[in-house]
Amino acid sequence: MPARFTPKVVTANALLEGDAIWYTAQGTWTRDMAEAELFTDEAHADLRLLQAKARASEIAGAYLADAQMGADGPEPVHFREAFRTRGPSNYAHGKQVETPPRT
């Protein structure tokens, strides 16, 4: 029996800046995971992932990441995705300075 599909978002890295980005319902990229489109249907998630991957001139490494609906929009389920929402880890800059982490 196949595993049950769990909610997902499409995520990637911005090609030029390297920032973690998420795909929105409008077909644009955002640096705020809470603005991402949350998929509860596997076929729809796969279709949107293919659409995102077709934009190779803008992004690198698109994939489906587990997520859950939070009070403000999709939120990470796993540590890796929570870590990516905070920006690069080599020193405090960008999102790490501008926005306190969500808890």
Side-chain angles (χ1 to χ4, degrees):
M1 178 178 220
R4 188 173 72 83
F5 182 79
T6 57
K8 309 256 190 271
V9 293
V10 173
T11 187
N13 288 89
L15 190 60
L16 297 179
E17 302 87 0
D19 291 350
I21 53 177
W22 291 268
Y23 207 47
T24 70
Q26 295 76 32
T28 60
W29 294 102
T30 180
R31 285 167 171 73
D32 183 355
M33 185 179 184
E35 297 174 359
E37 181 177 12
L38 183 68
F39 307 104
T40 56
D41 177 78
E42 186 172 12
H44 189 213
D46 288 341
L47 174 65
R48 296 294 277 164
L49 178 60
L50 287 173
Q51 292 170 343
K53 285 183 173 183
R55 299 173 67 174
S57 65
E58 301 171 315
I59 59 106
Y63 64 95
L64 292 171
D66 290 333
Q68 64 188 4
M69 184 53 77
D72 297 321
E75 296 177 343
V77 173
H78 299 292
F79 171 77
R80 176 184 179 191
E81 298 310 317
F83 192 74
R84 291 181 75 240
T85 66
R86 296 185 187 105
S89 61
N90 54 350
Y91 56 90
H93 67 282
K95 287 189 268 187
Q96 292 176 349
V97 174
E98 297 163 7
T99 308
R102 293 181 184 179
T103 55

